[in-house]
Amino acid sequence: MSQITRLILFFAFILTCVSAVLITGAKLMGGLRAHAELLAFVPQYYPEQAIMLADVITGAAVILTHDDGPAFHPSWSADGSLIAYMVQYPLHNYALWIVVIDVTGREVDRFYIAPNMLTIGGIDWSPDARQLVFSTETMVSGGVRHLYVLDIESGAKRDLNIPVGHFLRSTPLWTPDGSAITLLTSAGGLMYLTTIPLDPVLPFTIQQLTNRHVYIALSPRLDRVIVSDNGTPKVFGIVDLVTGDYAPFPDGAPPSIVSPAWSPDGDGLLIVSDGVYLVSPENTYPPRRLIALPGAEFDPALRP
C-alpha cells in the first residue's frame, strides 16, 4: 500500500470519527435534537405520570423520568440546560422531593423536602440558576403553608415569612433582580399580588386585586395574569396588573382543557387543547400547535 493511499485512508478515518461525534452531539435520546425547541410536560395517558420531552419541530418525544411516584411541574433553567421538577412518593408518607435533570434525563441533583406535603403551583429558577423557589402545604387539617427557597449547591432550604393570614395561590416567581419573590395570595376573601423580599428586614409589598376574576397564573414579567370566570366551560382572559384592563383570549385561540400557562418570555400563552398550542395574547400571529399527542398534557413548559 502506497504512502498516499495510507494518508487517504487515515484522513477518511478521521473524517468518519468527527462526523460520528458531530451527529451524536446533535442528537438527544429518542431522536430529539440538542438545540431544538423543546417542550416539557406531564402526559395524561402515561400511567407513571412522568416528565416527557418533545421536539416541537420533528414531533419526536421521549419519557425523561421513571420515578416511583407521580412527577409534575417541570421548570426550565434560564439557559435551557436543566429541568427541575417535583416528585411525590405515596408509599413513603407522601414524601416530596425536587429533582434536577438535564435534557437527556440524567439526574443532576435530588433534594428531600418533607413528608405529607402538597404543592401549591410549580417551581421557579432564580435568575442566576443557583436557587429554586416553591411553595407547599402540609397534608393535615389546617395545613401549614411554606414558601421555600432552595440553594442548589448546598441543598439548604430557607422558609420565607409570608403575610399573616394569607393563602398562597400561584407558582412563586423571582423578581428580575433576584431580590424578592412575587406570587398571588388570598386573605379574607380578597386576592392580592404579594412581593416578599429575601431580606427579612424589608417589608412586604401587597397590591389588592379586584374580585371579578379567578386568578390563575402570573406572567414571568410580573405585569399580567391569566384569569378565568367561574363558568363551565371556563372563559379565560388576561388582566394587565399595571392598568387593571381585562382582555379575553384572542379570537381563534383553541378552547383550553386545563389551566393555561405562559411561555418563558411572557409574550405567549401555552394552551392545552387537542395538543399544546402557543398563542399570542395580542393576536400578532396565528395559534401554533407545538405538539399533538392524545389526551390532555399537563404542566407544559417551553424551553427558553
Side-chain angles (χ1 to χ4, degrees):
M1 184 181 296
S2 69
Q3 185 69 19
I4 293 177
T5 302
R6 289 192 182 96
L7 287 172
I8 291 173
L9 292 175
F10 174 77
F11 283 115
F13 172 75
I14 294 298
L15 182 61
T16 301
C17 291
V18 171
S19 298
V21 170
L22 290 175
I23 290 170
T24 303
K27 295 283 188 178
L28 302 175
M29 58 183 181
L32 299 185
R33 299 166 302 143
H35 301 290
E37 191 175 11
L38 299 175
L39 183 80
F41 59 96
V42 177
Q44 182 189 42
Y45 64 85
Y46 192 67
E48 294 181 23
Q49 192 172 327
I51 305 300
M52 197 168 192
L53 194 63
D55 184 325
V56 304
I57 301 299
T58 67
V62 295
I63 297 293
L64 278 187
T65 63
H66 301 277
D67 297 287
D68 292 330
F72 42 92
H73 296 320
S75 176
W76 290 94
S77 60
D79 65 359
S81 66
L82 298 173
I83 298 172
Y85 69 95
M86 296 174 169
V87 62
Q88 196 166 43
Y89 295 95
L91 299 180
H92 300 278
N93 295 322
Y94 288 91
L96 179 68
W97 291 71
I98 286 183
V99 184
V100 179
I101 57 175
D102 65 17
V103 292
T104 70
R106 180 182 66 88
E107 187 172 304
V108 177
D109 259 316
R110 174 178 289 261
F111 305 99
Y112 174 71
I113 305 305
N116 300 308
M117 196 68 73
L118 299 172
T119 64
I120 306 169
I123 307 168
D124 193 39
W125 291 76
S126 64
D128 61 7
R130 294 181 177 179
Q131 300 178 96
L132 301 170
V133 64
F134 59 98
S135 53
T136 66
E137 182 173 353
T138 53
M139 297 172 62
V140 294
S141 178
V144 179
R145 293 168 292 280
H146 299 275
L147 181 61
Y148 286 121
V149 170
L150 174 68
D151 184 89
I152 294 175
E153 183 175 354
S154 68
K157 65 179 186 289
R158 176 182 168 193
D159 198 351
L160 298 183
N161 292 325
I162 59 178
V164 175
H166 279 240
F167 292 84
L168 311 178
R169 296 300 187 190
S170 72
T171 296
L173 300 178
W174 291 87
T175 55
D177 63 0
S179 67
I181 307 299
T182 298
L183 74 165
L184 299 170
T185 65
S186 67
L190 299 174
M191 288 294 298
Y192 299 90
L193 179 68
T194 301
T195 298
I196 300 172
L198 296 186
D199 185 344
V201 175
L202 299 177
F204 304 127
T205 301
I206 302 176
Q207 173 188 342
Q208 184 177 331
L209 305 174
T210 71
N211 273 3
R212 293 195 298 269
H213 312 287
V214 177
Y215 293 85
I216 298 172
L218 274 173
S219 160
R221 298 196 308 233
L222 308 179
D223 60 345
R224 296 182 291 181
V225 60
I226 298 172
V227 299
S228 76
D229 62 6
N230 282 310
T232 304
K234 294 184 182 300
V235 176
F236 294 97
I238 297 172
V239 169
D240 187 308
L241 293 172
V242 178
T243 65
D245 294 339
Y246 168 84
F249 275 13
D251 293 338
S256 187
I257 297 174
V258 296
S259 295
W262 291 95
S263 63
D265 58 8
D267 286 335
L269 301 165
L270 294 174
I271 294 178
V272 175
S273 187
D274 56 337
V276 179
Y277 287 78
L278 180 64
V279 174
S280 166
E282 292 80 20
N283 214 11
T284 54
Y285 54 83
R288 174 188 169 205
R289 187 158 67 172
L290 301 179
I291 58 170
L293 293 173
E297 322 314 335
F298 299 101
D299 296 340
L302 191 62
R303 180 158 78 167

